[in-house]
Amino acid sequence: MTTPLRKDAARNWERIVSVARTLVDQGTALQLNDVARRAELGVATVYRHFPTPEALLETLATPCLEALAAHGERALAEPDPWTALAGFLQRTVEAQVTDAALPPVAAAPVDVLPRTTELKATLRTAGTALLDRARTAGAVRPDLTAADLVPLMCGIAHAVDVHGGAPADRSATAHRYLVTFLLGLRATPQAG
């Protein structure tokens, strides 16, 4: 259990996170000295809350990771394996193209915060279970593995970054790319 922050420390934490969110959403790399300057706080204050830019970035991505993990848990309760997997992948791609903090955190080979590691493990477990259910039901290609899903989803997100158009069009572009991917994912009846 963590100790609640004093009111002034909580305000400072909120200011740091708000400034960092703005920078990440603008595509600006997080530098803690820059965050401190823009938040009009001392550098030591920022470093007390976030010892590294990666810790700050993971903090920004945590709400999105939590929402995806919750969606993964709900998807596991969906009775139709194809609908469950497709919905989970759709939500994942939407998150990747709408939350600028998520892609670098999802792609990082090492996490700074234990909560990030926990959430990423929950997402991998849900994705694997959803894929296994869909494969067992004969709904997806038998040669697709759980290890294939992350790079394929990252590929869609990258394609949207490169070709997605205006920010307002990114979700629609991601959806179009995912639908094309899902068509290739579906199992086709074997000729017999």
Side-chain angles (χ1 to χ4, degrees):
M1 184 172 166
T2 60
T3 305
L5 295 174
R6 294 183 333 257
K7 285 185 182 185
D8 62 331
R11 274 192 307 273
N12 290 343
W13 188 92
E14 290 292 334
R15 286 171 66 186
I16 294 164
V17 169
S18 176
V19 166
R21 171 51 70 187
T22 300
L23 291 171
V24 168
D25 288 346
Q26 293 171 348
T28 304
L30 284 182
Q31 297 178 1
L32 296 183
N33 291 359
D34 185 35
V35 171
R37 183 180 55 75
R38 291 174 188 240
E40 299 177 350
L41 296 170
V43 173
T45 300
V46 174
Y47 277 88
R48 260 194 307 279
H49 287 283
F50 302 100
T52 65
E54 293 81 11
L56 180 51
L57 187 62
E58 288 180 24
T59 298
L60 294 177
T62 294
C64 186
L65 287 169
E66 289 173 340
L68 284 173
H71 180 77
E73 294 297 320
R74 286 189 305 275
L76 289 168
E78 165 64 47
D80 178 49
W82 173 254
T83 301
L85 177 63
F88 178 72
L89 295 178
Q90 176 68 37
R91 184 67 61 98
T92 300
V93 167
E94 284 175 5
Q96 286 180 314
V97 301
T98 59
D99 186 340
L102 184 62
V105 169
V110 177
D111 304 319
V112 175
L113 304 176
R115 180 70 175 143
T116 303
T117 302
E118 174 189 332
L119 289 167
K120 286 167 72 172
T122 299
L123 287 170
R124 276 191 304 277
T125 300
T128 299
L130 291 165
L131 177 61
D132 289 346
R133 277 182 50 202
R135 189 183 306 106
T136 299
V140 298
R141 301 165 49 121
D143 60 338
L144 185 74
T145 69
D148 296 330
L149 287 180
V150 172
L152 290 169
M153 293 299 98
C154 288
I156 291 171
H158 178 70
V160 171
D161 283 344
V162 174
H163 304 288
D169 299 331
R170 291 172 55 84
S171 288
T173 302
H175 179 74
R176 190 172 64 252
Y177 290 173
L178 181 65
V179 167
T180 302
F181 166 71
L182 291 173
L183 289 172
L185 185 68
R186 290 295 299 243
T188 56
Q190 299 298 319

